Amino acid sequence: MEKTETLAEHRPPGTTLEPQRFLINERYVNLIVISTDQFRQRPQHELIQTGEKHEECLNKIQTGLERISSKKLFRWSHQSQCVPHAVMVSGVPGIGKTTLMQKFVYDWVTGKHYQIFAFVFFFRFRDLNRLGLVNLEEMILHQYPHLEGQIGDILQHPERLLFIFDGLDESIYQMDFISSKLSNPKYRTHFGEILNNLVRQSLLNGCSVLITSRPTRLASVDTGVFQRIAEIMGFLHEDRLIYFNNFFGNKELSKRAFHYVQENDTLYTFCYIPSYCWIICTVLSMCFRAQPTNSDQLMTLLPKTVTQLFVTFVSNILANHSQNKDGGHTAQKLLTSVGWMAEHGVMNHMIVFDERHLESFNLRNDKHLFSSFMVESGQSPDVDYTFLHLTLQEFFAALVHFINYSPDKLQETLDKAESYKDGRAEILLRFLCGLSDSSTRSMLKPHVGELSTKAARDVITWIHRKDGKPKEHKRALLNVFYYLHESRNKALVSRCITSKEVDIIDVPLTPLDCSVLSYILQSCRETEEVHLNSCKIQSEGLRKLIPALHTIKNLILYDNHLTDSSCPHLASGIRNNQTLRTLNLSENNLEGPHFSDLMAALTTSRIEELQLPYNHLTDSSCSHLAIGIRKNQTLRTLNLSENNLEGPHFSDLMAVLTTSQIEEIHLDNNHLTDSSCPHLASGIRNNQTLRTLNLSYNVLEGPNFSDLMAALTTSQIEDLQLDNNRLTESSCPHLASGIRNNQTLRTLNLSENNLEGSHFSDLMAALTTSRIEDLLLGGNNLTDNSCPHLASGIKNNQTLRRLDLSGNNLEGPHFSDLMAALTTSRIEELQLLNINLTDSSCLLLASGIRNNQTLKTLDLSENNLEGPHFRDLMASLTTSRIEELHLAGNHLTDSSCPHLASGIRNNQTLRILYLSGNNLEGPHFSDLLAALTTSRIEELQ
């Protein structure tokens, strides 16, 4: 009870004050603990990666993420579908693993939970490391000697026992939790094997085991043996404020400190870790105690980066030390020894040190100054030391290079640190970059003398060599941004980021990442394009970025989980940016009351291209879209694909189209129906700038479709997409009317409709007087009966260059009409894939190709052309001007190879030949390859 009822808070560093103690129930702040199984690959520093997961947690906490309080650790697990007996709790250094275990034991002692356990045995791996060969009984009695007379009876009831092991990452034994041979509690072995068998239940079957560890250690552990795996994610936002209130004990001071930290993304983000909260609060209390004469002076004292935070922290320790005048070593010598030991630990995943390490690095235990940095545990001679926090260890590992400069050692450290794929030295590198800033270093000068400017130059040179060019791994580019951010060197940023484009596609960005990116963009005015596709930046991250976007020309933000609440931030960015020309907001979820803010900002912008597909926009957004478009005279491209705009307000959007300067509008897949056609017609009829209209994947078939086609006659549209609109042959007269009287239309896509029927001839008759160059009729259930109509349309049209008839069923006696018409046409590309052609069609194809001198691309894929007449098709190839021929999936065999060879050998225009999906293996395959030697083919599939 006594061991668990109070929490000890470190004394202010560098002072002789005793640690303060508080009742755990009064001081304990709840931590987020979640179920997880993601311990495998960790390519990043664990602190950075957990910070990212923490942000994800905050966003999911309201949507059913499984949170686990300490009293639920041994209750039913949905993941393993059982009541767990072995539980692993993971967390980065300083996040509260030991404190959570203390609270767990305290609640058990006071009867709040888990009264099924008669005994709870608590062990620290750091203490167990000192044991030699022991059996289970001896291991327990070493920690709890008062149980000596009862231990045999206690072990008879394993289901009443809970073993807690704290700090697996500090164990000297590498445990895999795979082997399980030990069943005798009296058998002597090392403690690692005992633990292994307790977890595997081969020893004391029925007992429960709870282990804590850093995430890095778990990457090499078979965690499948645990029925519950939990990860401590630290404090929620409101818990951070509670911690500050507890620390300062003065509401005014607490509010002031918390406000400052909240405004500093770097510091606030790291506050999810309790030990970081303590360091930050300690530093801020030191700054406030310094009693600056004015607020400007206070702002110079307050840290702005993580490096400055630790510089201030260490400076205050050293300042207090110099007042006490104790110790034999100078601070400089001590920090040199501490620094080299710290670097050794960082590079070798070592956080626990002993007397041998102190001797190895000539480190004398100055009881005052040394104990301000290090925590001592154990009894002599078995004493261990750890740094107050892993990040403090990483800071000293960087600082030593500025105190005891060696160009070779520094370069070796930079090279080594960069080579680690697990990110163990990432924070160390950031500290090196942060210390390259002279104003940051100057805070330490009164205590350790002048820090090396040569080291600073070397680090700056190293950063410069990395530059900001696109990297194979985008995460590497983000790391460079962090180095530059810590350096506070805006001139260096400008020298490093020389590209006009910043591309961090597919890298999840936390609000802190966005804040760092914002600093980079504000420091480098040359950047014109920012690509942040699929970065999950969300509303908070966007808010950090907006101030840096007022000079960007092209901003790509698609698939970023942005919602309606992001619209005011976007509006602010647009309103203050007169250079922005392209804004891509695809695949977000912007529907809502604040969407109007974004559209209002559009009225004063100079945006030329706005992408809003997949945004869950509905008919109610049309009024806001209308406002934005009506007063904007620069917008040329508007993409509203994949929304749901059908409804009474769609007319508002179409009405403003008449006065806009839009040249290209995409409304595909918007659930538009025949009832929208009059509104579409109204918008098109009175607009003379519109060149491209995409209406694909709607359902426009119906009596009002004629209105849309009538409006087409007076429009200037050049590209009309109507594929997948359930149009039938009854729409063909309306289509014909629209085409016949329009002289601007160049591309018409009618694919995937159902136009077969008697009225199809009307559409083809209109083709003869049109100026269409590109006609797509794939997947329209057209049959051989349609071939004479197709022939008529093609024969008398001299503008058509591309005809796609794929996915129809044109095999039959009238196919010859189509091929005859091909001879007089000017078609350059003909798509005939998957139209059920057989060998008997080869003669007709040959006739069409032989007498056509314009055809450059012919796609005959997915037919069945194998047979005796295939040779006729290949013979006609010799006189054609075809450059690209697709014959994939045509059941061609080895017997076709001589014919293919003949066609290739005598053709000097063919550049691309696709023969995939056939069966050409056999003795004649050599003929094909022999012909290849004299051909001009550049690509062969």
Side-chain angles (χ1 to χ4, degrees):
M1 177 79 167
E2 290 178 9
K3 289 184 177 180
T4 58
E5 70 179 350
T6 60
L7 277 176
E9 189 173 85
H10 289 300
R11 62 176 177 268
T15 70
T16 55
L17 299 175
E18 288 301 310
Q20 287 183 284
R21 293 191 172 275
F22 304 92
L23 290 175
I24 192 167
N25 270 351
E26 294 176 2
R27 198 71 169 202
Y28 181 79
V29 181
N30 283 325
L31 295 161
I32 313 169
V33 184
I34 62 164
S35 284
T36 185
D37 56 2
Q38 298 174 349
F39 289 128
R40 288 293 157 219
Q41 298 179 359
R42 289 195 175 248
Q44 292 171 258
H45 189 287
E46 59 190 348
L47 193 67
I48 298 168
Q49 191 168 54
T50 303
E52 291 175 1
K53 281 184 72 178
H54 181 270
E55 288 299 328
E56 287 181 30
C57 263
L58 295 182
N59 297 316
K60 292 178 183 176
I61 217 80
Q62 306 298 330
T63 57
L65 183 71
E66 189 185 358
R67 284 187 68 182
I68 306 169
S69 62
S70 58
K71 65 183 180 184
K72 291 183 181 177
L73 286 171
F74 286 96
R75 291 190 186 170
W76 176 268
S77 167
H78 293 289
Q79 273 188 334
S80 58
Q81 291 293 295
C82 69
V83 175
H85 65 77
V87 174
M88 174 65 76
V89 175
S90 161
V92 298
I95 205 160
K97 298 184 292 295
T98 301
T99 304
L100 181 67
M101 293 303 102
Q102 181 181 335
K103 183 72 164 63
F104 182 97
V105 175
Y106 176 77
D107 287 346
W108 171 75
V109 169
T110 54
K112 285 188 178 176
H113 63 200
Y114 293 121
Q115 297 307 291
I116 56 168
F117 298 128
F119 293 91
V120 174
F121 301 116
F122 186 93
F123 301 94
R124 294 194 314 165
F125 281 96
R126 194 181 303 179
D127 300 328
L128 294 174
N129 285 337
R130 304 186 187 108
L131 298 179
L133 294 179
V134 291
N135 61 36
L136 176 60
E137 290 186 0
E138 290 168 341
M139 188 176 88
I140 295 172
L141 292 174
H142 183 268
Q143 189 86 354
Y144 303 95
H146 59 279
L147 296 177
E148 187 164 6
Q150 310 167 54
I151 191 65
D153 293 335
I154 291 170
L155 297 184
Q156 292 300 310
H157 304 283
E159 72 283 353
R160 306 291 311 275
L161 305 180
L162 170 62
F163 294 87
I164 298 177
F165 296 91
D166 188 29
L168 173 65
D169 48 285
E170 296 178 355
S171 171
I172 59 174
Y173 295 104
Q174 182 64 45
M175 278 163 281
D176 53 17
F177 298 108
I178 295 175
S179 58
S180 54
K181 302 172 185 174
L182 181 63
S183 59
N184 183 359
K186 294 186 180 293
Y187 180 80
R188 303 190 87 207
T189 181
H190 66 76
F191 77 84
E193 190 173 350
I194 293 173
L195 172 58
N196 197 3
N197 286 275
L198 286 173
V199 171
R200 302 287 307 186
Q201 298 281 286
S202 53
L203 182 61
L204 291 191
N205 186 20
C207 75
S208 297
V209 182
L210 176 57
I211 301 175
T212 72
S213 176
R214 284 170 59 190
T216 46
R217 185 64 176 264
L218 297 182
S220 59
V221 165
D222 177 16
T223 53
V225 72
F226 297 95
Q227 292 80 45
R228 168 165 277 137
I229 302 170
E231 185 161 11
I232 304 175
M233 303 307 298
F235 289 149
L236 284 170
H237 293 300
E238 56 269 25
D239 297 326
R240 302 180 202 193
L241 179 56
I242 293 170
Y243 187 98
F244 271 66
N245 287 336
N246 287 344
F247 183 94
F248 285 97
N250 175 316
K251 279 199 172 180
E252 189 58 39
L253 201 56
S254 166
K255 184 179 177 183
R256 194 173 163 201
F258 192 71
H259 177 73
Y260 175 75
V261 172
Q262 265 193 312
E263 291 300 305
N264 185 305
D265 300 319
T266 306
L267 301 185
Y268 186 66
T269 300
F270 281 114
C271 271
Y272 77 89
I273 302 172
S275 61
Y276 252 103
C277 264
W278 177 77
I279 290 172
I280 289 169
C281 287
T282 300
V283 168
L284 292 182
S285 67
M286 292 168 175
C287 293
F288 292 141
R289 275 206 314 269
Q291 294 182 336
T293 54
N294 56 56
S295 59
D296 289 341
Q297 189 180 348
L298 175 61
M299 288 308 293
T300 60
L301 288 174
L302 292 172
K304 297 169 187 64
T305 65
V306 177
T307 307
Q308 289 177 358
L309 174 69
F310 279 86
V311 164
T312 309
F313 184 70
V314 171
S315 295
N316 279 281
I317 294 174
L318 297 174
N320 287 326
H321 170 70
S322 63
Q323 291 167 11
N324 289 299
K325 303 290 183 188
D326 67 343
H329 277 237
T330 64
Q332 193 178 60
K333 286 181 180 176
L334 179 70
L335 291 182
T336 299
S337 298
V338 166
W340 292 126
M341 185 175 79
E343 187 190 87
H344 174 74
V346 170
M347 297 304 193
N348 293 282
H349 271 318
M350 187 185 298
I351 60 171
V352 182
F353 305 90
D354 56 30
E355 293 289 352
R356 289 170 300 170
H357 293 111
L358 267 61
E359 289 172 19
S360 172
F361 289 97
N362 300 313
L363 183 55
R364 194 179 121 194
N365 184 346
D366 173 332
K367 287 298 179 189
H368 176 61
L369 182 57
F370 179 84
S371 61
S372 298
F373 305 138
M374 311 284 293
V375 177
E376 182 180 314
S377 63
Q379 301 296 320
S380 183
D382 298 317
V383 181
D384 288 331
Y385 305 94
T386 54
F387 285 86
L388 277 177
H389 192 280
L390 172 62
T391 315
L392 185 62
Q393 178 180 335
E394 292 165 318
F395 175 76
F396 283 131
L399 180 62
V400 69
H401 290 284
F402 291 83
I403 294 174
N404 188 8
Y405 171 65
S406 161
D408 294 338
K409 275 189 177 180
L410 177 55
Q411 191 58 51
E412 183 186 352
T413 295
L414 289 166
D415 293 342
K416 244 191 202 179
E418 204 176 5
S419 70
Y420 293 125
K421 302 302 180 191
D422 58 9
R424 72 183 74 170
E426 191 54 47
I427 300 291
L428 164 62
L429 287 172
R430 291 184 189 180
F431 278 138
L432 283 169
C433 297
L435 288 166
S436 71
D437 174 44
S438 58
S439 62
T440 300
R441 291 196 310 275
S442 66
M443 298 171 68
L444 288 164
K445 184 178 177 181
H447 315 296
V448 294
E450 192 75 53
L451 295 179
S452 173
T453 54
K454 289 183 178 177
R457 278 201 297 270
D458 288 353
V459 171
I460 288 171
T461 300
W462 176 80
I463 301 173
H464 197 197
R465 283 195 194 123
K466 300 193 72 57
D467 67 48
K469 291 174 187 169
K471 307 264 187 301
E472 182 181 347
H473 300 292
K474 307 292 184 185
R475 171 64 55 182
L477 178 59
L478 189 59
N479 286 338
V480 173
F481 290 166
Y482 267 94
Y483 303 151
L484 292 166
H485 177 257
E486 284 293 325
S487 76
R488 311 306 290 172
N489 189 334
K490 291 194 173 187
L492 180 62
V493 176
S494 292
R495 291 205 304 274
C496 285
I497 313 298
T498 55
S499 171
K500 291 187 180 295
E501 180 182 313
V502 170
D503 179 352
I504 315 184
I505 294 173
D506 291 326
V507 176
L509 299 180
T510 65
L512 176 57
D513 295 333
C514 292
S515 185
V516 169
L517 179 55
S518 181
Y519 170 82
I520 297 300
L521 293 175
Q522 288 181 79
S523 304
C524 184
R525 303 289 178 166
E526 300 304 311
T527 306
E528 294 181 354
E529 287 192 35
V530 178
H531 293 259
L532 299 175
N533 319 354
S534 305
C535 291
K536 302 180 183 176
I537 62 175
Q538 304 187 58
S539 186
E540 182 60 17
L542 181 64
R543 186 177 71 82
K544 312 290 186 190
L545 275 173
I546 288 300
L549 300 179
H550 60 273
T551 59
I552 302 300
K553 273 190 179 177
N554 301 320
L555 179 60
I556 317 298
L557 288 170
Y558 77 68
D559 187 23
N560 267 298
H561 300 187
L562 300 178
T563 63
D564 160 64
S565 62
S566 306
C567 288
H569 305 315
L570 287 164
S572 170
I574 292 172
R575 197 177 289 113
N576 296 315
N577 184 330
Q578 290 300 300
T579 60
L580 191 64
R581 295 296 178 264
T582 300
L583 178 61
N584 190 333
L585 295 168
S586 310
E587 295 188 46
N588 289 293
N589 185 8
L590 300 182
E591 170 73 9
H594 296 297
F595 183 67
S596 60
D597 296 339
L598 176 59
M599 291 299 100
L602 189 64
T603 61
T604 58
S605 81
R606 299 182 65 81
I607 289 176
E608 296 174 0
E609 180 179 340
L610 180 59
Q611 299 283 340
L612 289 169
Y614 291 99
N615 261 290
H616 303 98
L617 299 179
T618 64
D619 160 65
S620 60
S621 295
C622 288
S623 302
H624 307 313
L625 284 162
I627 290 170
I629 295 170
R630 184 181 294 115
K631 296 181 178 178
N632 180 302
Q633 292 302 299
T634 60
L635 192 64
R636 297 294 181 266
T637 299
L638 177 61
N639 189 343
L640 295 167
S641 307
E642 309 292 339
N643 287 295
N644 185 8
L645 300 182
E646 170 75 9
H649 296 297
F650 182 67
S651 60
D652 297 336
L653 176 59
M654 291 299 99
V656 299
L657 196 61
T658 59
T659 58
S660 80
Q661 297 291 309
I662 290 176
E663 297 175 359
E664 184 175 336
I665 188 165
H666 294 261
L667 292 166
D668 43 304
N669 206 359
N670 260 288
H671 304 97
L672 300 179
T673 64
D674 160 66
S675 61
S676 294
C677 286
H679 308 313
L680 284 163
S682 172
I684 294 171
R685 187 181 298 112
N686 299 310
N687 180 302
Q688 293 302 298
T689 61
L690 193 65
R691 296 294 180 267
T692 298
L693 176 60
N694 188 341
L695 294 168
S696 307
Y697 290 92
N698 289 294
V699 187
L700 299 183
E701 169 75 11
N704 295 314
F705 182 67
S706 60
D707 295 342
L708 176 60
M709 291 299 100
L712 188 65
T713 60
T714 59
S715 80
Q716 298 289 310
I717 289 175
E718 297 174 359
D719 184 346
L720 179 60
Q721 301 285 327
L722 289 169
D723 55 293
N724 289 278
N725 261 287
R726 302 187 192 176
L727 300 178
T728 64
E729 64 142 336
S730 61
S731 295
C732 286
H734 307 312
L735 284 163
S737 172
I739 293 170
R740 187 181 296 111
N741 299 309
N742 179 301
Q743 292 301 296
T744 61
L745 194 64
R746 297 293 179 267
T747 298
L748 177 60
N749 186 349
L750 294 168
S751 303
E752 304 301 329
N753 287 294
N754 185 11
L755 301 182
E756 170 72 11
S758 56
H759 292 297
F760 182 67
S761 61
D762 297 338
L763 175 60
M764 291 299 100
L767 189 64
T768 60
T769 59
S770 81
R771 300 181 67 82
I772 289 176
E773 298 175 0
D774 198 343
L775 179 61
L776 286 77
L777 291 167
N780 262 289
N781 300 306
L782 301 179
T783 65
D784 164 64
N785 292 330
S786 295
C787 286
H789 308 312
L790 284 163
S792 171
I794 293 170
K795 191 184 290 121
N796 300 308
N797 180 301
Q798 292 302 294
T799 61
L800 194 64
R801 295 295 178 266
R802 180 186 175 212
L803 177 62
D804 184 354
L805 295 169
S806 306
N808 289 295
N809 185 9
L810 302 183
E811 169 79 9
H814 297 298
F815 184 65
S816 60
D817 296 339
L818 177 59
M819 290 300 100
L822 188 63
T823 60
T824 59
S825 80
R826 301 181 66 82
I827 290 175
E828 296 175 1
E829 180 179 339
L830 180 60
Q831 302 279 338
L832 294 173
L833 66 155
N834 193 20
I835 61 169
N836 298 314
L837 297 181
T838 62
D839 160 65
S840 61
S841 296
C842 287
L843 281 169
L844 308 174
L845 284 163
S847 170
I849 293 169
R850 185 181 297 112
N851 300 309
N852 181 300
Q853 293 301 294
T854 61
L855 193 64
K856 300 291 184 286
T857 299
L858 176 61
D859 191 343
L860 293 167
S861 306
E862 306 301 328
N863 287 293
N864 185 8
L865 301 182
E866 170 72 11
H869 296 297
F870 182 67
R871 69 193 304 169
D872 297 322
L873 175 59
M874 290 299 100
S876 68
L877 193 63
T878 60
T879 59
S880 79
R881 302 183 67 81
I882 289 176
E883 297 175 2
E884 187 173 337
L885 178 61
H886 295 251
L887 291 168
N890 261 289
H891 304 95
L892 301 178
T893 65
D894 163 63
S895 61
S896 295
C897 287
H899 310 315
L900 282 164
S902 172
I904 293 170
R905 186 182 296 112
N906 299 310
N907 179 301
Q908 293 302 294
T909 60
L910 194 64
R911 297 293 180 269
I912 296 173
L913 177 61
Y914 279 29
L915 294 168
S916 310
N918 289 295
N919 186 10
L920 302 182
E921 169 70 13
H924 298 298
F925 184 64
S926 59
D927 297 341
L928 174 60
L929 294 199
L932 196 62
T933 61
T934 59
S935 80
R936 300 180 69 109
I937 289 176
E938 296 171 0
E939 183 181 339
L940 176 63
Q941 300 277 344

